[in-house]
Structure formats: C-alpha cells, structure tokens
Amino acid sequence: MANTRRGFLKSASALALGATVAEVGVHASAKPPFYADVLQTTRKSLNGVWQFRLDPGTDGETNSWFKPSQTSEGWQNVTVPHTWQIAQDSTEYFGTAWYRRLLEAPREWRDQTVRIEFEGVFHSASVWLNGSEVGKHLRKGYTAFEFDITHLLHPGADNLLVVMVNSDFDSRMLPRGHSSDWTHDGGIYRAVTQLITPRIYIERVDVDAVPDLLNGFANVDISVVIRNSSDREWKGTLSVHAIEEDTGLAVLGGSDENPVDIAPGANIARRLPTFKIDKPKLWHFDAPNLYSLSVALNGAEIRHEYTTSFGIRRIEVRDGSFWLNGERIGLMGVERMAGSNPNYGMVEPASWIEHDHDDLKNLNCVFTRVHWPQDKRVLDYCDRHGIFIQTEVPTWGPDTFKDMKDEPDPEIMQNGLEQLQEMIARDRNHPCIFSWGLCNEINGQNPPAYKFAQRMGEEAKRLDPRRLRSYASNSLQRNAANDVAKLMDFIEWNEYYESWYPGTPEDLRRNLEEIHRAFPDKPIVISEYGWCACTPDRPEGDSRRVRVLGDHTRVCRETKFVGGLIFFCYNDYRTHIGDKGTGVMKQRIHGVVDLLGSRKPSYSALREESSPVESLDCSGDPNLFTITLRTRNSVPAYTVNGYKLRGILYGFANIPLECREASVSPLKPGESISIPLQFKEREGATRVEFDVVRPTGFSAITTVWMP
C-alpha cells in the first residue's frame, strides 16, 4: 500500500500542482498596499485538475475515500470548477460524488494562517485534509464558505484535500425538495482558493456609503471583522484609505487612531468612526462610479490589509415611487437564468458571463433579479457596467411549506436564515444590489409562508438596515391586503395573465388597481411577466411572446404607479423539470434567446420596450440630418444624462465611411430634443445608422436612414 500511496501522490502532484498555475495576488482589486510593510492576503488558486468519482452507493465515507492511503483506482481527472451534470453519462445523476487533490504548503507558511475558500459547492460539502475532517457546509448550495486548515496542514510536505459533495433533492433545505424550477448542477462549480494571511488578520470589511444630497458629501461607515488565530492577545491599530477607482485620487485617509485589542482565538467586529467624502461621485446605472477602500491592521509583528470596492448612492421609497440619488425613477430589465448554456452548466467561464450581461445591457436592462445568490463575477459586472440587481435566497414555490400548519418548519427556517446571512456577508458592499430578495412564489397568505417571510425580512433589516427588502409574490390576485407583501419595502408581483393565469390585459389592469389600493404608498414591481411555452396548450410561438410583452407593458405604463418591470426571461433555461429537450438540454422555453444565446425576434421587441428613449426620428439626408429623440414619461423613466448621438454612414459593400457624434443635453422623462448632424461623405451613402449611446457605451436605441 505504501508504494501505491507514493505512486498516487506523484501522479496527483503532477496533475494538481504542475498543471495548475499558482495564482498569487492581492485581495479584491489587486492593487499594491497603501501602507509600507503591510501584507495583503495571498490568494493561491486551487482551480485546475482534481481527481473525481461518483458515489451512487454512498460507499465512499464507509470505505474511507477521504484518507491519504486511497489509491487512484476508480478516480478520473476533471477540471475544477466542475459539474458532472453536463457530462452525457451523469446528466440525470443527483447524489454523492468526491473530489481530491494535493496542496502545496511551503515551509514559510508555518507562522501564517491558511484558509480554503469555496465560492460555491452544490449543495453540501464535507471537507477533509490529510485524513482529518476540516468541516461541513450543508444544504447551502449558492453561498461561499471557508475553513481554517492551519492546524491540519503539513508545511513542506504533501497535503491531500478531499471534498465529498452531495446534490440530492433535500426536503431540509432551500430550495426544498423538487420545488425549484432551474438546473441543480452538482459539484464544486465555482472557484476554490487558498488564502494565506498573518495569524491576526482582517476577515471582512462592511461599508455603508450614503450621500447627503443637500450638502454635497457622503458619510462612510465601516465595520471591520478581525480574527486572532494565535494563542496570544494582540494589540494594534486600524488605518483607512480610499481612492476613486477611475482616477486613483485619494478621497479618504486616516492615521493609526483606531486601537484594536483582541483576545487569542477571538473574532471581533470593530465599527470605525464615520468618515466623510466631499463632492462624491455617485453610483448610478448610467454612471457606475466606484471607490476602492483599504483597511490596514498594524501592530507588533503583524501588518495586514484588506481591500474592497464600494459605491455611493441613495435608494429610497417615498410617495409610492423609487428615488435614486434624489431623482424619481422607473426601472426596467430582464431576468437571466444562470447555468443554462449546456456547454458549461453552472460552471460558466468569465467570457460567457460577460457575453450574457453585455446582451442584457444591449437590451437596456438596468434592473434585474435572480432566484439564487450569483457568482461574484456577475455582481462585479453589474457594479462596473451599471445594472441594479435583486439577489435572493432560493426559497422557491408554495411546496416549500407543504404539510406545515401554522409555523414554518424550524429546519427550513434556520436554513433560510443561514443562507440569507451568508449572502449578505459576502455581497453587501456591492452598490449594484438594489434589494435583498427573501423568497419567490410561496403563497404569501399561507400562515407558515407568511411567518417565514416576516422573519427573513426582520433578519435582513438587522444585518443591512439601509437596503430595501422584498419578495416576489404569486398571491396578489385576490385579497392582496392579507399578503405578506405588506411587510416589504415595496411590492413585487409575478404577473402571468394570458400564460400561467387565465385572463386578459384588462384583468391585469384591474388587478394592479386592486394591489395599489391595498398598498398606496408602495411602488409595485412586476418581478416576472412573459410567455412560457411550458404546457401542451401553449406551444412555442415567439410572436405571442412579443404581443404579451407589448400589451402588458402598455397597461403597466398607463397605471402610473408601477415602478419597475422585469421581463421573464432573457434565456430559455435548463431545469430538472423541463418540458422540452433531453439530457443536458432539458429546458423550458421562456426566453428571448435560446440556450446557446441565439436571438429570437422578441429580443428586438424587448430592447425597444426597455429603452428610456421612446422614439428616435430622422429627417433630411447626409447634407443635413435632423434627429429628434423623445424620452419616455413612464417606466422605464429616468433622466437621460451624459448620452450622445452617434451616426455611422455606410457606402457600397457595407463599408463604414464616416462617424459623427453629438452630445445630447440632459432630458427628463417626457422631454424631447432635435439635433442636427452633418456628414462630409455625401456621395454613395447606402445607409446611415443612428444610435443614442449611454455613458457606459451601450446603445439605448437605433434607427436606420436609407436613401
């Protein structure tokens, strides 16, 4: 066995260490430390080649697959992040599987703290190092977690990391059992990273930055979570520094005036005095300004710095409307179902995440929601390109509370609270987070569902008191005033007249008026609407999707009290209860693009309906065009500020010959402007394409002139 053991270690070392490039860098924004001799967290990627095997008989734990003495027999090589759900032979497998690899641990790590961070394992993970259990993260498939492995690590020697994963449908977790309608891709499907720090280190920094719009400054509140993993008391200080990310200009700096005293083995949260930023650059979906904040821990033999990004914006509900940075706004967008490309599943590369979200921006999406906590790269994109997002605990469907009487099941309640806590802990600094979503379509008039949502709302308010909270209701068609929606900061309703609900656009109008009478002081967001070809009596027909989009959007605009619209869905999506396709392509047909991203005719219709520019008219010719644009006065409605008009003239063989641009003066909802645009290339023009371009570079509307 000893010879076999050495053979496995040699083979696995070549795979897990040689084939994976060590990724050593700084935390978050990869900037050098602001303070001399201060160390940032070293991040060493554990992505790459691992060994893997399915365990349909659940024999692995009994047979000690977690021990270093195991051979390579029965294991195969895979690349982590990984899901077995996109492999032909295991698409329908829901159960237990195992992963293992060797870790490199240099001798110089002896005096450091070493952690392993898993960004996502679906849905349960049990972790061993060198044959000893490190910890478990159970029934929480979409939130990040980490373990301190310092005490089990052998610096200067081989270290075997083993992870047992379970993806069974489980009635003790959210989503509960088979209730959810999306793909359940088992595996270590997001990144794995080693984190190396001093023994006393900053674990997390929470930032709240709120502008004082009247006086032209922002208050920045900072809470720092510090851990002492040593066996000695430690005393030191905290320093703070912040810069504008786009210019690098310092906006905030503090000397070592914040003392820290932390006992051995303790975790503490230290709230710093409020800082002030004068003349802040506010975050807006058309101006996604970001700041970089660094907090440094300084003391005897210890220097550690943690860096995070944040934005400054004020989101309010008042007078029955949403207000962003003092402006009344109406928002519109579309929801994307992650993991739907059958080539990737939930293991989406950065290129596909960027592809889909570029598409969302091209669709004029500035407001979206998702059914579960997302890959952090999604939130980073939304921060930097300007999309508001509601990210949610995956409490999906009325079956979540099946067979419960007056109270939610304690295990379900606890699972929901833990997922909420972990979601907020990781994501609260993102300015793109518009609101926390607590649940979806639970029948909010059912007593256990009502009490669940109420308790979740209270916890979200405790953890992040300045951010809005809501839930997507499917129970506002009658007796709306009895729904748990009344406890939310705004009303969300999944509206499916002419699809899941019988009725007409006029039934939608009547229902909206009833909801408004029940909650006159709260804006209504249509959190889902659209057309699903999900039953035999509803065959796929994209023209029907276009008609439902147009008719229902028109009714919502005419009511004047709908503050947001989120069309469902951007993409046809993979789901274990799919009614079309087989294997890895089992799906529901609900989107304006298919699983592979090909656009349907409804794509253009959604782009047009979602634009803040209602019309773009062109008169004249290349000698002198007059371009007239008018903004919408109902959802989506917001000031068009910093936009420009761009015209590209094309000649024979579709050759672009000339580009002309003009600034668009700020326009409030319902206003219009006419802009002259003149070209030098006047002979042989075959067409001119005119776009109104957002400050972020994405086109809001297009029109074409033909001679």
Side-chain angles (χ1 to χ4, degrees):
M1 180 65 73
N3 289 337
T4 305
R5 154 81 172 144
R6 284 195 294 271
F8 161 66
L9 288 176
K10 182 177 180 181
S11 172
S13 179
L15 291 169
L17 299 180
T20 303
V21 177
E23 180 183 84
V24 181
V26 298
H27 179 84
S29 58
K31 293 184 174 65
F34 286 110
Y35 305 96
D37 302 323
V38 176
L39 297 176
Q40 293 187 317
T41 301
T42 298
R43 303 178 63 88
K44 185 177 185 299
S45 174
L46 296 181
N47 297 340
V49 179
W50 291 52
Q51 293 193 322
F52 169 78
R53 67 188 300 180
L54 298 176
D55 186 11
T58 61
D59 301 319
E61 199 161 8
T62 301
N63 294 329
S64 301
W65 289 2
F66 54 86
K67 289 188 176 179
S69 57
Q70 286 293 310
T71 70
S72 296
E73 184 179 353
W75 297 78
Q76 61 177 300
N77 297 328
V78 299
T79 301
V80 169
H82 171 263
T83 176
W84 63 81
Q85 238 73 48
I86 61 172
Q88 182 174 336
D89 295 338
S90 52
T91 297
E92 302 293 339
Y93 178 73
F94 301 96
T96 302
W98 293 72
Y99 295 83
R100 67 181 185 180
R101 64 157 289 160
L102 293 182
L103 302 184
E104 184 180 39
R107 294 184 184 277
E108 54 265 31
W109 288 4
R110 290 184 184 278
D111 297 323
Q112 304 293 300
T113 293
V114 182
R115 292 169 286 159
I116 295 183
E117 175 190 67
F118 295 86
E119 291 185 22
V121 176
F122 191 83
H123 55 70
S124 292
S126 300
V127 182
W128 290 265
L129 185 67
N130 298 325
S132 297
E133 185 176 288
V134 174
K136 299 178 184 290
H137 187 257
L138 303 180
R139 295 179 284 279
K140 292 171 285 189
Y142 302 106
T143 51
F145 60 98
E146 65 180 47
F147 296 121
D148 187 335
I149 61 170
T150 308
H151 61 297
L152 297 174
L153 200 65
H154 300 152
D158 293 316
N159 292 268
L160 180 66
L161 176 66
V162 180
V163 183
M164 180 178 71
V165 176
N166 183 268
S167 70
D168 276 325
F169 293 96
D170 196 315
S171 63
R172 298 169 294 168
M173 61 173 277
L174 301 171
R176 189 181 186 208
H178 290 77
S179 67
S180 61
D181 181 18
W182 60 82
T183 181
H184 282 220
D185 284 357
I188 304 176
Y189 70 99
R190 292 180 184 163
V192 188
T193 308
Q194 277 181 296
L195 309 176
I196 301 93
T197 63
R199 289 297 175 93
I200 298 90
Y201 62 92
I202 298 172
E203 190 173 85
R204 194 176 82 242
V205 174
D206 296 338
V207 184
D208 287 309
V210 181
D212 183 323
L213 301 172
L214 183 62
N215 296 300
F217 64 85
N219 287 318
V220 182
D221 293 323
I222 303 168
S223 178
V224 185
V225 178
I226 307 166
R227 182 180 176 220
N228 182 354
S229 63
S230 75
D231 57 4
R232 295 180 297 172
E233 181 184 25
W234 187 85
K235 295 183 179 181
T237 59
L238 287 169
S239 303
V240 181
H241 189 89
I243 63 170
E244 296 175 352
E245 284 204 354
D246 59 342
T247 66
L249 294 176
V251 296
L252 189 156
S255 60
D256 297 348
E257 298 175 351
N258 303 287
V260 176
D261 188 341
I262 181 169
N267 274 59
I268 63 170
R270 180 65 193 277
R271 185 170 295 278
L272 302 183
T274 298
F275 292 90
K276 182 184 292 186
I277 295 178
D278 290 320
K279 299 179 181 178
K281 293 182 176 179
L282 302 184
W283 193 95
H284 185 285
F285 46 80
D286 275 336
N289 297 303
L290 292 175
Y291 291 83
S292 179
L293 175 80
S294 290
V295 180
L297 194 64
N298 307 282
E301 301 178 359
I302 296 294
R303 303 285 190 276
H304 184 240
E305 181 180 272
Y306 186 105
T307 300
T308 188
S309 295
F310 70 96
I312 301 171
R313 81 283 186 278
R314 179 185 289 274
I315 303 170
E316 302 171 276
V317 168
R318 53 187 168 94
D319 303 325
S321 299
F322 293 121
W323 297 74
L324 173 62
N325 300 332
E327 178 195 358
R328 182 177 178 175
I329 57 171
L331 301 172
M332 190 165 177
V334 60
E335 181 173 348
R336 167 187 181 262
M337 296 291 275
S340 291
N341 187 316
N343 295 311
Y344 311 127
M346 284 291 186
V347 186
E348 295 180 324
S351 59
W352 190 251
I353 289 174
E354 185 172 348
H355 165 276
D356 277 7
H357 287 83
D358 280 351
D359 235 11
L360 262 61
K361 288 295 293 185
N362 188 58
L363 283 166
N364 286 301
C365 175
V366 297
F367 186 37
T368 188
R369 61 180 282 253
V370 286
H371 282 49
W372 62 88
Q374 299 290 290
D375 189 303
K376 66 180 183 182
R377 293 171 298 175
V378 170
L379 301 184
D380 288 342
Y381 183 101
C382 293
D383 279 347
R384 298 179 184 282
H385 295 84
I387 301 177
F388 272 129
I389 186 170
Q390 174 175 290
T391 181
E392 299 177 4
V393 175
T395 319
W396 196 96
D399 282 354
T400 302
F401 303 96
K402 186 177 180 180
D403 299 326
M404 300 180 197
K405 293 183 179 179
D406 294 326
E407 298 287 337
D409 178 84
E411 201 163 16
I412 289 293
M413 188 73 254
Q414 184 61 31
N415 184 262
L417 289 171
E418 289 178 6
Q419 293 200 51
L420 178 71
Q421 291 157 0
E422 292 180 9
M423 176 176 72
I424 292 177
R426 191 198 72 166
D427 296 339
R428 61 168 293 150
N429 290 353
H430 288 278
C432 68
I433 300 284
F434 185 85
S435 49
W436 298 121
L438 310 177
C439 29
N440 176 81
E441 295 188 358
I442 59 170
N443 183 6
Q445 299 184 36
N446 180 27
Y450 187 108
K451 292 177 181 178
F452 176 91
Q454 180 180 24
R455 178 71 186 90
M456 292 283 283
E458 292 167 350
E459 181 67 2
K461 189 72 170 177
R462 182 185 72 83
L463 293 170
D464 191 7
R466 287 174 171 155
R467 203 172 245 117
L468 302 178
R469 306 149 299 149
S470 194
Y471 100 102
S473 177
N474 67 332
S475 44
L476 295 174
Q477 289 88 302
R478 57 183 62 88
N479 303 319
N482 296 331
D483 199 274
V484 71
K486 66 185 178 183
L487 303 182
M488 303 296 140
D489 293 317
F490 60 96
I491 307 302
E492 287 187 313
W493 180 37
N494 290 356
E495 179 275 300
Y496 281 113
Y497 282 110
E498 299 191 274
S499 184
W500 292 108
Y501 313 157
T504 68
E506 287 309 305
D507 291 309
L508 166 60
R509 187 190 306 275
R510 170 193 51 77
N511 206 157
L512 280 171
E513 291 170 349
E514 291 172 353
I515 296 170
H516 179 61
R517 284 195 295 271
F519 313 110
D521 297 329
K522 296 183 178 182
I524 300 171
V525 169
I526 304 300
S527 38
E528 291 182 28
Y529 71 120
W531 170 256
C532 178
C534 303
T535 60
D537 62 312
R538 283 186 261 139
E540 169 64 355
D542 199 57
S543 60
R544 184 68 178 268
R545 185 170 292 108
V546 172
R547 188 186 65 75
V548 168
L549 166 65
D551 288 350
H552 291 224
T553 301
R554 172 181 51 80
V555 169
C556 291
R557 285 179 178 143
E558 290 171 355
T559 65
K560 301 298 184 184
F561 45 75
V562 171
L565 295 170
I566 302 175
F567 191 74
F568 191 87
C569 183
Y570 164 66
N571 48 348
D572 297 339
Y573 59 95
R574 293 175 57 237
T575 170
H576 64 93
I577 60 173
D579 42 80
K580 303 288 192 302
T582 59
V584 72
M585 300 187 80
K586 196 173 183 180
Q587 63 186 280
R588 280 198 148 165
I589 308 299
H590 222 312
V592 299
V593 305
D594 67 16
L595 292 185
L596 300 175
S598 295
R599 298 173 180 178
K600 306 175 187 179
S602 54
Y603 181 99
S604 296
L606 180 59
R607 169 174 155 78
E608 182 177 334
E609 292 285 2
S610 301
S611 177
V613 181
E614 183 176 61
S615 62
L616 182 63
D617 298 320
C618 169
S619 63
D621 56 37
N623 289 295
L624 180 61
F625 284 110
T626 299
I627 311 299
T628 302
L629 64 98
R630 178 179 294 277
T631 57
R632 296 191 191 277
N633 62 6
S634 187
V635 59
Y638 42 86
T639 298
V640 167
N641 190 11
Y643 287 49
K644 63 184 179 184
L645 175 67
R646 181 179 64 206
I648 299 179
L649 184 147
Y650 292 83
F652 178 74
N654 203 33
I655 298 172
L657 299 176
E658 186 177 359
C659 178
R660 307 293 291 176
E661 291 184 347
S663 298
V664 177
S665 301
L667 297 174
K668 294 181 179 179
E671 293 184 339
S672 64
I673 190 173
S674 294
I675 301 172
L677 209 61
Q678 204 169 24
F679 288 85
K680 296 179 180 178
E681 289 279 352
R682 298 169 184 176
E683 298 297 327
T686 59
R687 78 180 194 278
V688 181
E689 289 189 2
F690 294 99
D691 285 273
V692 176
V693 183
R694 295 175 181 270
T696 51
F698 292 90
S699 169
I701 192 172
T702 305
T703 193
V704 179
W705 172 87
M706 306 283 286

